[in-house]
Amino acid sequence: MSQTPAHETLATHEVMNQPAARGDLDLWGDDPALQTHAGASGADGDHLADYGAKMGTQAMRAAGRDANRHPPELVLFDAGGRRLDEVRFQPAYHALMQAGVGAGYAALPWEGAAGGHASHAAMVYLTSQVEPGVCCPMTMTYAAIPALRADTALLGEWVPKLTARAYDLEAKVLARKAGATLGMAMTEKQGGSDIRSNATRAVPEGDHYRLTGHKWFCSAPMSDGFLTLAQAEGGLTCFLVPRWLEGGRNGIHIQRLKDKLGNRANASAEIEYHGALAHRLGEEGAGVRTILEMVHHTRLDTAMAPAGLMRAALDHASHWARHRSAFQKQLIDQPLMRSVLADLALDWEGTLALGLHVARAFDGTSPRDRAFARLGVALAKFLGNKLCPGLVYEAMEVMGGMGYVEDTPLPLLYREAPLNSIWEGSGNVICLDILRTLAREPLAGEALSEELAQVAGQDARFDAALRAHMQTFPKPPGEAQARWYAESLATLLTASVLLRHAPDAVAGAYIATRLSEPRGRVAGAIGRIDTGAVLARLGGFSQ
């Protein structure tokens, strides 16, 4: 939709040296790095081109801003005092959900097309640039499907609705819905990540169970069902709890919505089960093993989302730099600014490249693919999310005071930046999981060694860094050094992916500044690199 230009000549001054409104963006067409790494991962470029063009429109970006400005509202009771336990969302939220669900965000990997998980991962990246909050319910819907394989009947009942590409927000039983979403409620006050300490009780009743207990975090509480953990007679067990029943609402009471730093468009809640009807998923006592199938897939999305946040922050910062002058020079022509932006761009492209490379393993079917996917997704999640907050802050600083006000997307991105490191295993939990995977799955370590060996001899600096890593860690270390070990491995793996698929100047700059030459601790404190080649990957730059 065309817009009448705003007045630039005001009564007191003329508006100058401010970038014009951007209009529609093409999130696929203007992102050469995404095209490179999505292609290498086997993703469906035609589908991503359509989705990227749609999500980049001015209308969709405005919907993202509106969904954040008007957060969800908890409505516990109707006017007569009857319990509702409903969350009401701003219409823009539903428009974004319809766009994502309708484009197959949750369904695509399970429809049988080649590169389904890689295409999904790229959709996470694209959606996160516009409104990251809506990713949560769609991600959990996507990730729940492999966990449902633990029960043939539940799989047959729920999966057709979860993959229907239809967003149905009505409060009605599953059989009468065109499509459905699935959430998660695992965390309790006393345990946090230690889910084995969960105290929610499950009592059998006929062919189902009744749950009683409190959940400290319930993600997307208006989902049509939730995967949850409770203590049955045989131990900690996984259950599917439907929200709606024939003839009424299930015994799920929302206590309050969490007042979160970011992710404001999405609701997160404390809930209580009051004799809630639940279906057992898997055997009693096998709850952790069952739910980990869901966690494994949500981790892919938490590895991809930071790349999207980084891309959005850098896109706004680089656009500002290209259209803003200071001291008689365009910001982008100033060598120090170019060094800062190029340094940040290396972290962004490395995070994108590694995430999509790991997504390709999710599409694989061999034991080697599965082993590498489990280890690789943990490495990608750890490193990308540690880099994301600092990158978003530096992008904010590029824009100066403008980056600190809500007229720009930078505050939204800054609030969102820490989330994916906390969700589905914080940094320490992920590092311990990396050590555990290497100890329990020898094939994972073999697959990682093969990945790193594929680029041997292509860059002497990479080869030297790999040797130095092996000398420092001839075997996986104890817990105290787990973060150093994980960071080193993830950086080496990222460099190996860039060597295979990125332009030589980009891969070489990454190796020089991350693995080889001395550098400072802040963005831009690097030696000489080809900033033009690196910045070209952002789109809109000439070398």
Side-chain angles (χ1 to χ4, degrees):
M1 183 176 66
S2 62
Q3 286 188 324
T4 302
H7 288 294
E8 293 187 5
T9 303
L10 309 181
T12 58
H13 63 284
E14 183 178 353
V15 177
M16 298 182 297
N17 202 23
Q18 287 281 336
R22 302 188 69 181
D24 292 345
L25 305 178
D26 186 343
L27 301 185
W28 168 266
D30 295 337
D31 191 341
L34 173 60
Q35 295 171 36
T36 294
H37 298 293
S41 71
D44 183 344
D46 291 338
H47 176 76
L48 296 174
D50 290 342
Y51 188 67
K54 180 176 182 177
M55 292 305 292
T57 61
Q58 191 170 359
M60 293 304 290
R61 298 193 337 265
R65 300 295 298 279
D66 287 344
N68 273 268
R69 286 195 179 102
H70 305 284
E73 176 187 1
L74 177 60
V75 183
L76 288 176
F77 302 93
D78 70 6
R82 305 170 189 87
R83 286 203 75 101
L84 287 175
D85 294 289
E86 292 185 4
V87 181
R88 306 277 169 81
F89 294 89
Q90 210 264 353
Y93 173 89
H94 296 303
L96 291 159
M97 285 290 294
Q98 179 60 59
V101 171
Y105 184 112
L108 191 62
W110 314 113
E111 293 174 338
H117 289 282
S119 298
H120 161 83
M123 292 179 72
V124 176
Y125 170 81
L126 292 167
T127 309
S128 297
Q129 296 177 48
V130 178
E131 206 306 291
V134 297
C135 291
C136 177
M138 294 191 291
T139 284
M140 290 186 297
T141 301
Y142 150 75
I145 290 170
L148 289 170
R149 292 171 181 156
D151 187 285
T152 303
L154 292 174
L155 184 73
E157 180 182 2
W158 280 84
V159 169
K161 303 293 185 177
L162 299 177
T163 59
R165 293 201 183 199
Y167 177 58
D168 185 345
L169 56 88
E170 295 297 319
K172 53 191 176 185
V173 70
L174 181 71
R176 294 199 295 272
K177 299 202 70 167
T181 59
L182 206 57
M184 179 190 290
M186 289 200 299
T187 307
E188 298 184 6
K189 291 178 182 177
Q190 72 281 354
S193 296
D194 183 10
I195 56 177
R196 294 183 186 276
S197 67
N198 282 7
T200 297
R201 303 185 309 280
V203 177
E205 181 183 279
D207 61 354
H208 56 263
Y209 288 70
R210 295 285 178 178
L211 304 189
T212 302
H214 181 276
K215 292 294 181 180
W216 191 231
F217 272 92
C218 172
S219 298
M222 286 307 292
S223 299
D224 296 290
F226 307 96
L227 294 192
T228 196
L229 295 174
Q231 297 288 353
E233 183 177 352
L236 190 63
T237 303
C238 186
F239 295 92
L240 193 161
V241 186
R243 182 157 180 74
W244 320 109
L245 304 175
E246 288 286 358
R249 301 163 188 265
N250 205 354
I252 306 170
H253 293 179
I254 301 177
Q255 303 303 299
R256 61 172 174 166
L257 297 185
K258 295 292 192 181
D259 187 6
K260 299 172 293 185
L261 169 68
N263 207 247
R264 291 181 176 179
N266 175 51
S268 303
E270 291 176 40
I271 66 169
E272 288 185 350
Y273 295 130
H274 288 262
L277 184 147
H279 304 287
R280 193 184 74 206
L281 189 59
E283 296 300 317
E284 285 193 2
V288 173
R289 184 171 68 249
T290 303
I291 203 73
L292 279 179
E293 285 295 317
M294 183 177 189
V295 170
H296 175 57
H297 287 78
T298 53
R299 282 184 177 174
L300 175 61
D301 290 24
T302 59
M304 287 305 306
L309 300 177
M310 295 157 101
R311 165 68 191 185
L314 276 172
D315 179 63
H316 290 291
S318 63
H319 178 74
W320 178 266
R322 294 197 305 273
H323 295 88
R324 177 82 167 176
S325 63
F327 309 112
Q328 292 78 52
K329 293 178 65 176
Q330 290 294 114
L331 291 178
I332 196 57
D333 293 331
Q334 301 187 19
L336 183 54
M337 179 62 75
R338 294 178 71 84
S339 289
V340 171
L341 287 173
D343 197 15
L344 299 176
L346 290 170
D347 280 337
W348 151 69
E349 182 162 354
T351 302
L352 171 64
L354 181 56
L356 286 173
H357 186 71
V358 170
R360 182 178 183 178
F362 276 70
D363 282 311
T365 58
S366 70
R368 188 264 189 202
D369 289 327
R370 290 192 293 271
F372 178 68
R374 172 162 181 180
L375 179 60
V377 78
L379 291 167
K381 179 186 186 307
F382 177 74
L383 183 60
N385 282 295
K386 292 304 177 190
L387 297 172
C388 184
L391 184 149
V392 175
Y393 154 70
E394 290 284 359
M396 181 183 290
E397 188 174 290
V398 166
M399 299 180 67
M402 281 299 297
Y404 201 67
V405 298
E406 298 287 346
D407 290 340
T408 75
L410 269 296
L412 182 160
L413 298 170
Y414 189 66
R415 289 189 296 268
E416 194 75 17
L419 171 65
N420 292 282
S421 187
I422 298 170
W423 189 23
E424 299 301 19
S426 58
N428 285 356
V429 171
I430 294 298
C431 287
L432 294 176
D433 192 55
I434 290 168
L435 297 182
R436 190 178 303 113
T437 299
L438 289 169
R440 295 180 179 178
E441 298 184 40
L443 189 56
E446 293 172 14
L448 178 61
S449 296
E450 291 171 5
E451 289 281 339
L452 297 174
Q454 282 189 37
V455 297
Q458 292 187 31
D459 190 299
R461 298 166 301 177
F462 176 86
D463 296 344
L466 181 57
R467 287 194 300 271
H469 172 88
M470 296 305 299
Q471 290 169 1
T472 304
F473 302 108
K475 61 181 181 179
E479 289 185 15
Q481 293 182 303
R483 282 198 173 206
W484 182 12
Y485 180 71
E487 178 185 342
S488 178
L489 269 185
T491 306
L492 285 163
L493 184 57
T494 301
S496 77
V497 176
L498 292 175
L499 276 170
R500 278 174 267 180
H501 305 305
D504 291 343
V506 173
Y510 186 93
I511 292 167
T513 56
R514 273 77 179 153
L515 293 174
S516 179
E517 299 170 5
R519 62 161 296 152
R521 295 181 62 187
V522 299
I526 56 176
R528 290 182 178 273
I529 63 171
D530 185 347
T531 58
V534 174
L535 291 174
R537 304 292 280 169
L538 283 168
F541 284 91
S542 62
Q543 296 193 42

